[in-house]
């Protein structure tokens, strides 16, 4: 936990050091057309937006902790937080849409490490995928009702 907090605090300072050096660096021509995306990716997250990051992480950790415990796995809150971080990191390297298969493999492997048998581990992975689908449907309906139907 302390290492993550130190990284979170050090990120803006590290970027303040890095950005002038990147600006002075001569980029290859093919990178110039992606300069905007590079600037966005390296810019620090405004402090007012970090609350959404923490809420998302707490909800993800809570879902993992609840699901694993309901299925009988011996899981601590710290283990659930690490699994949630693994899920978020895996989304950065998504090969297939919504990491289909990769996330299930992560859930199955960690559930078996937590003491569940293979069939229960697969059921757990499908349960969590179903929860994600239901949450997306609820969010879509809520957005549609709030903003109106597309014209």
């Amino acid at each position: 936990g302390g290492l993550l907090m130190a990284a979170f605090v050090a990120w803006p300072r590290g970027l303040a050091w890095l950005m002038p050096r990147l600006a002075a660096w001569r980029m290859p021509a093919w990178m110039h057309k992606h300069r905007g995306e590079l600037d966005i990716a390296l810019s620090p997250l405004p402090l007012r937006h970090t609350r959404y990051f923490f809420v998302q992480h707490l909800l993800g950790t809570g879902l993992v902790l609840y699901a694993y415990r309901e299925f009988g796995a011996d899981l601590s809150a710290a283990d659930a937080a690490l699994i949630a971080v693994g899920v978020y990191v895996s989304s950065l390297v998504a090969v297939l849409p919504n990491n289909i298969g990769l996330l299930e493999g992560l859930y199955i492997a960690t559930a078996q490490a937590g003491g569940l048998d293979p069939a229960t581990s697969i059921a757990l992975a499908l349960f969590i995928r179903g929860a994600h689908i239901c949450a997306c449907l609820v969010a879509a309906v809520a957005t549609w009702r709030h903003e109106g139907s597309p014209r």
Side-chain angles (χ1 to χ4, degrees):
L3 183 61
L4 288 176
M5 187 56 76
F8 181 74
V9 170
W11 180 252
R13 291 184 182 161
L15 285 178
W17 176 85
L18 180 65
M19 291 308 279
R21 283 155 183 79
L22 282 179
W25 177 56
R26 223 180 124 144
M27 282 190 198
W30 61 270
M31 284 183 79
H32 279 289
K33 67 179 180 178
H34 298 291
R35 177 65 190 231
E37 291 91 353
L38 192 62
D39 287 341
I40 290 170
L42 292 174
S43 63
L45 187 65
L47 197 55
R48 66 181 182 276
H49 294 302
T50 57
R51 65 178 173 234
Y52 302 117
F53 167 78
F54 287 116
V55 168
Q56 177 189 9
H57 189 66
L58 286 175
L59 289 173
T61 301
L63 169 71
V64 168
L65 188 62
Y66 171 77
Y68 276 62
R69 285 187 176 171
E70 284 297 311
F71 277 81
D74 183 30
L75 191 73
S76 69
D79 293 335
L82 284 174
I83 294 170
V85 167
V87 168
Y88 300 138
V89 169
S90 74
S91 69
L92 295 174
V93 292
V95 177
L96 297 171
N98 204 14
N99 267 351
I100 192 126
L102 184 65
L103 287 179
E104 285 77 9
L106 174 71
Y107 291 132
I108 290 168
T110 54
Q112 286 183 357
L116 296 181
D117 62 281
T120 307
S121 300
I122 293 170
L124 170 68
L126 294 176
F127 172 79
I128 293 175
R129 177 62 74 178
H132 287 160
I133 292 170
C134 289
C136 289
L137 290 174
V138 168
V141 169
T143 303
W144 177 73
R145 296 186 109 219
H146 176 59
E147 295 179 3
S149 63
R151 302 195 196 292

